[in-house]
């Protein structure tokens, strides 16, 4: 081979080598690409995410859910997932040619239920094996009760009449939905909670016979679930009897349906008066569910009591109800209602009677419920029950999506399990599962929203007088007309007006809008009609014996102890003369006032009885009584000095002991007018100016000084200080002409007492409460509401005080000025010991629901009773006498009265004596103000009770009983008796 040939061969070889290399490279690239493509279909790792829910296993049991999230690639083709836990292995086969990014597997058996467990998870494919070991924390099997309702705001979103019609229509829609969903799985069948018996009462009043029949059937089937409360009320603004009347309507509805009502709900209003426990228990209520406002002026109640049920023990130490404060009621709006048209969901679009959407599961409770239950588990709550409401807004149409939303949820998840329910079912579950671990708690859950009472001071005063008038009327009727049927319809109307007054809705959502005036006027009519109706009932009660123009005056005492009192007759009633004779013909101290009125001192008017007086010509009966020396009044028992520079009482002295009851070091004195603007709580309150003192009445029976002045926030201010001969009392009458303004403001009257180390006690509905000591954690301490009296006493001396028209008080300082939505830094955590209190007369602090301004003349009356050591009977008698005055009636002859019964224990008194609703008997209700058990013996006058039965507030006779009784501390007991 020539060199040339050899060389040519090498070239060829080199060419071939390059070609083969090129082919190998190409082939390698192809192989590599193919392997890469195959590798990309196999995840290189996965993340395990333990889910906050259970899902349904193939064996029908719930299983803990763990989601695998694949990294770098989807999981393609056939694969096997093995889950090993607690020595049990289960396999899941996957074969998705399109690949999956994540997959949820369930742990075997009860793994991860009651305790933490280790789960070993393997993902096996044809090309690789991925493994991971995780710790799965314990997860509870939560039952979530959903309470469907439409929050009853009688006003706020629309006129009261519009709101009423909306809620009545909701009952018809609810029955329709319940019927249509009866074949749904358990838990998703629709039920409806009208929330307030005000709704059902109005429904039954207007329903056709067929609708009424349908309603009764729906209640018996459990489609409509009824709760006991008339409405969402400011409970601490109620009187004793009014708090019982809160359940009267539901008691009547029970008679119609035959279905017991054992629960009450309170929406929106944060807190409740301690006495509600006793009032509810007396009406057969055993569960109280509170669904407060989410954020508005609620203090720290959510942190303190949310999802922490307790048995609330009444002041009597025995009566108790289960109290449960759930998540705030408004979350249905946050989740769903806020995403819909407000006009539609609140019924302002014609033709719509319910809300439905294309996707019932949209805007539902996930992830909310997962986060909430996780929070409670982290707090180690002992309860596996979660309660929430479902309402799209205030006064809204029914969300007809709810049954399908719950059905689809329960199909998707095993736990949390959703159950549409009423309060009774929830109560039963709590008690069945947890009664042994639910704690018992005593104390007042002092309300926060009672400051709204100050937004219409004049009409709140009307309400307080009306509630006392009705009780006096019932008592007087039993004394005079018990054989004649009492005017039950008018009495029911009067109480209904009272309850509508204290119902928490006072006005429109936007008080500055044009519609607000109409809504506020209707609200005002409730107060005005309560007073008007109660006064008409009193007139009707005394009408059979009344003889206008007579010189004979019958003085009636509707309280259960003998008492004295000042009687005031108009100029027309006293035309016969200034001389007053009692039944024995003896002269009674009297005095003609500068107004032309005649006053006389009625003495020892018998308990539940009357005494006669006669007017004649002649001089008034002589009395060594009241004198005025410059700026000091005295009646021989006490003296009162008024500072001419401020108009305040700077000295209140007992003339026998020389005890000074006014704290001269405080800088406030007694009856000290203070006006605050905005959020100024620094003590820079404005005081009156241009003070003028004027003798109004100069004794001897009545002496008074009138303090006239200018006052910030008012056109004028007058304060009358009065003493009465023979009485250790100070009478105060304050009157001012309020200037209307929308600037945030507050008027306060201060009373700085000198009772070193004194303990404060106050009368609340069905209880006596010591501020701070008897208040629950989280309760309002900035302002409180009292009923008849407040007492401040040490071991030697004290004072009892009352404000007849104005229930709001502050202790120690002006702590109530929190305009707008409130500031957390201003909520008091405790009440420091103090002997200074302020009467918070009025304010316009709220930005919604309440009137923005108030004006005109407002009259407020106060009394002070200096005394020795604390005596609960004396304190109570003072407060009751101030609020239920003696009643003077012109008569032709001495009236025949039935005194019925005498109570031999001064610490126990009659709160109500009335004809029973069935008209067949009488009701006697007693209350104790003692902190110890008290024995009583009922002493019947003229054998007036043939048989005596204990009963509850529903007035159904129970077991027959005798006249010797024991009453629990601060207890109440009711009796039904047959009159002879």
């Amino acid at each position: 081979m020539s060199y040339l040939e050899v060389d040519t061969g090498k070239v060829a070889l080199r060419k071939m080598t390059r070609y083969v290399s090129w082919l190998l490279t190409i082939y390698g690239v192809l192989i590599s690409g193919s392997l890469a493509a195959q590798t990309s279909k196999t995840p290189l790792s996965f993340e395990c995410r333990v889910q906050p829910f259970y899902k349904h296993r193939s064996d029908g049991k719930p299983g803990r859910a763990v989601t695998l999230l694949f990294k770098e690639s989807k999981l393609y083709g056939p694969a096997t997932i093995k889950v090993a836990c607690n020595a049990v292995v289960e396999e899941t086969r996957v074969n998705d040619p399109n690949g999956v990014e994540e997959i949820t597997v369930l742990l075997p058996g009860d793994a991860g239920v009651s305790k933490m467990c280790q789960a070993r998870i393997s993902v096996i494919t044809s090309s690789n094996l991925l493994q991971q070991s995780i710790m799965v924390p314990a997860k509870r099997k939560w039952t979530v009760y959903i309470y469907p309702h439409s929050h009853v705001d009688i006003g706020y979103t629309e006129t009261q009449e519009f709101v009423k019609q909306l809620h009545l229509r909701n009952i018809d829609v609810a029955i329709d939905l319940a019927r249509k969903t009866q074949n749904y799985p358990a838990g998703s069948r629709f039920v409806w909670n009208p929330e307030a018996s005000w709704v059902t009462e109005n429904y039954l009043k207007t329903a056709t016979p067929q609708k009424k029949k349908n309603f009764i059937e729906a209640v018996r089937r459990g489609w409509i679930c009824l709760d006991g409360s008339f409405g969402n009320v400011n409970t601490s603004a109620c009187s004793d009897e009014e708090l019982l009347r809160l359940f009267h309507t539901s008691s009547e509805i029970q008679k119609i349906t035959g279905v017991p009502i054992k629960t009450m709900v309170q929406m929106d209003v944060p807190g409740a008066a301690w006495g509600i426990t006793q009032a509810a228990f007396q009406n057969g209520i055993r569960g109280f569910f509170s669904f407060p406002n989410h954020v508005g002026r609620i203090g720290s109640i959510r942190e303190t009591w949310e999802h922490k049920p307790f048995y609330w023990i009444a002041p009597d130490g025995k009566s108790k109800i289960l109290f449960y404060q759930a998540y705030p009621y408004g979350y249905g709006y946050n989740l769903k209602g806020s995403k819909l048209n407000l006009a539609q969901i609140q019924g302002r679009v014609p033709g719509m009677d319910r809300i439905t959407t294309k996707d019932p599961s949209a805007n539902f409770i996930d992830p909310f419920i997962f986060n909430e239950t996780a929070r409670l588990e982290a707090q180690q709550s002992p309860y596996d029950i979660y309660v929430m409401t479902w309402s799209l807004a205030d006064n809204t149409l029914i969300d007809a999506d709810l049954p399908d939303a719950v059905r689809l949820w329960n199909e998707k998840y095993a736990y949390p399990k959703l159950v549409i329910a009423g309060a009774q079912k929830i109560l039963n579950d709590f008690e069945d599962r947890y009664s042994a671990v639910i704690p018992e708690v005593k104390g007042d859950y002092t309300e926060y929203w009672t400051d709204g009472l100050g937004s219409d001071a004049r009409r709140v005063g009307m309400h307080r007088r009306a509630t006392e008038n009705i009780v006096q009327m019932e008592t007087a009727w039993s004394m005079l007309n018990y054989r004649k049927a009492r005017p039950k319809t008018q009495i029911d109307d009067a109480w209904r007006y009272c309850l509508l007054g204290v119902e928490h809705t006072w006005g429109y959502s936007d008080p500055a809008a044009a519609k607000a005036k109409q809504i506020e006027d209707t609200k005002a009519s409730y107060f005005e009609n309560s007073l008007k109706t109660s006064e008409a009932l009193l007139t009707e009660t005394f009408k059979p014996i009344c003889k206008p123009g007579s010189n004979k005056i019958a003085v009636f005492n509707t309280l259960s102890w003998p008492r004295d009192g000042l009687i005031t007759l108009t100029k027309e009633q006293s035309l016969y003369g200034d001389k007053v004779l009692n039944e024995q013909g003896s002269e009674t101290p009297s005095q003609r006032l500068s107004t032309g009125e005649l006053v006389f001192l009625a003495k020892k008017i018998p308990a539940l009885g009357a005494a006669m007086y006669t007017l004649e010509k002649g001089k008034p009966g002589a009395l060594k009584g009241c004198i005025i020396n410059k700026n000091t009044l005295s009646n021989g028992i006490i003296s009162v000095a008024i500072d001419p520079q401020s108009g305040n009482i700077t000295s209140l002295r007992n003339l026998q002991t020389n005890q000074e009851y006014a704290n001269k070091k405080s800088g406030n004195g007694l009856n000290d007018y203070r006006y605050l603007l905005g959020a100024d709580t620094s003590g820079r309150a404005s005081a009156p100016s241009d003070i003028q003192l004027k003798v109004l009445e100069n004794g001897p029976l009545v002496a008074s000084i009138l303090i006239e002045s200018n006052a910030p926030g008012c056109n004028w201010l007058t304060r009358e200080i009065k003493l009465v001969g023979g009485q250790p009392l100070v009478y105060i009458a304050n009157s001012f002409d309020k200037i209307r303004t929308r600037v945030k403001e507050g008027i306060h009257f201060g009373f700085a007492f000198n009772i070193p180390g004194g303990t404060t006690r106050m009368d609340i509905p069905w209880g006596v409460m010591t501020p701070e000591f008897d208040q629950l954690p989280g309760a309002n301490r900035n302002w409180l509401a009292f009923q008849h009296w407040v007492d401040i006493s040490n071991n030697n001396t004290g004072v009892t005080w009352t404000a007849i028209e104005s229930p709001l008080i502050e202790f120690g300082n002006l702590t109530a000025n929190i305009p707008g939505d409130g500031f957390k830094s201003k909520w008091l955590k405790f009440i420091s010991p103090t002997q200074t209190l302020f009467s918070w007369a009025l304010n316009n602090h709220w930005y919604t629901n309440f009137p923005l301004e108030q004006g005109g003349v407002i009259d407020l009356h106060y009394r002070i009773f200096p005394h020795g050591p604390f005596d609960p009977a004396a304190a109570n008698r003072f407060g009751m006498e101030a609020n239920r005055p003696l009643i003077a009636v012109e008569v032709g002859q001495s009236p025949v009265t039935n005194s019925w019964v005498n109570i031999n224990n001064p610490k126990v008194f009659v709160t109500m004596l009335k004809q029973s609703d069935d008209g067949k008997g009488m009701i006697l209700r007693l209350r104790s103000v003692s902190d110890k058990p008290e024995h009583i013996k009922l002493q019947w006058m003229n054998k007036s009770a043939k048989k005596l039965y204990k009963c509850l507030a529903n007035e159904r006779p129970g077991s027959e009983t005798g006249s010797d009784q024991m009453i629990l501390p601060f207890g109440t007991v009711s009796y039904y008796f047959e009159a002879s």
Side-chain angles (χ1 to χ4, degrees), residues 94-298:
V94 181
N95 188 3
D96 189 338
N98 296 317
V100 292
E101 294 180 341
E102 62 180 61
I103 189 169
T104 297
V105 296
L106 305 181
L107 302 189
D110 287 334
V113 177
S114 58
K115 62 182 180 179
M116 181 179 290
C117 70
Q118 184 183 40
R120 299 175 64 84
I121 301 176
S122 303
V123 179
I124 306 166
T125 67
S126 59
S127 59
N128 64 354
L129 169 65
L130 302 176
Q131 292 181 318
Q132 191 169 147
S133 178
I134 62 168
M135 298 304 294
V136 180
K139 183 66 182 177
R140 302 183 191 179
K141 295 178 180 177
W142 286 91
T143 300
V144 176
Y145 284 109
I146 299 180
Y147 178 98
H149 70 118
S150 173
H151 174 45
V152 179
D153 262 318
I154 306 177
Y156 194 63
T157 60
E158 260 293 349
T159 65
Q160 288 86 346
E161 180 61 26
F162 183 96
V163 166
K164 181 176 76 174
Q165 295 304 324
L166 180 144
H167 285 286
L168 301 192
R169 185 170 67 231
N170 276 348
I171 290 180
D172 291 330
V173 173
I175 294 172
D176 179 56
L177 280 173
R179 184 176 289 111
K180 289 176 178 176
T181 59
Q182 280 313 289
N183 293 326
Y184 277 33
S188 58
R189 298 164 193 161
F190 189 74
V191 301
W192 183 243
N193 300 283
E195 187 180 306
S197 62
W198 172 79
V199 175
T200 50
E201 177 187 53
N202 281 294
Y203 184 86
L204 292 172
K205 280 181 180 177
T206 58
T208 64
Q210 185 59 50
K211 280 190 174 185
K212 186 174 181 179
K213 180 180 178 181
N214 293 344
F215 174 84
I216 294 171
E217 179 190 14
V219 173
R220 291 173 178 173
R221 285 175 173 265
W223 298 355
I224 302 291
C225 300
L226 302 181
D227 296 299
S229 182
F230 182 79
N232 304 295
V233 307
N234 289 296
T235 52
S236 56
C238 294
S239 68
D240 284 348
E241 199 65 27
E242 187 179 16
L243 211 54
L244 289 178
R245 291 290 303 203
L246 192 61
F247 306 98
H248 182 266
T249 298
S250 62
S251 180
E252 295 297 304
I253 292 171
Q254 287 181 75
K255 296 175 185 177
I256 295 171
T257 65
V259 178
I261 299 175
K262 297 183 178 181
T263 57
M264 65 172 290
V265 296
Q266 178 84 308
M267 298 284 172
D268 216 1
V269 183
W274 191 7
I276 192 67
T277 51
Q278 205 143 228
F281 189 85
Q282 285 281 317
N283 281 278
I285 301 296
R286 296 298 179 263
F288 181 154
F289 290 88
S290 171
F291 302 95
N293 191 274
H294 191 69
V295 294
R297 299 172 75 77
I298 63 172

Side-chain angles (χ1 to χ4, degrees), residues 566-570 574 577-580 588-601 615 618-623 625-628 695-704 720 722-725:
L566 187 70
I567 302 298
T568 302
L569 302 178
T570 65
S574 57
D578 296 351
K579 189 176 182 179
V580 181
T588 296
S590 61
Q591 179 180 329
R592 183 69 64 177
L593 301 181
S594 59
T595 59
E597 297 167 309
L598 181 72
V599 294
F600 67 91
L601 191 60
L615 305 183
K619 294 182 179 181
L623 173 74
C626 301
I627 59 173
I628 296 177
V695 174
L696 202 60
E697 308 297 343
N698 202 11
L701 178 57
V702 172
S704 69
E720 182 186 2
K722 180 172 72 177
L723 297 184
V724 176

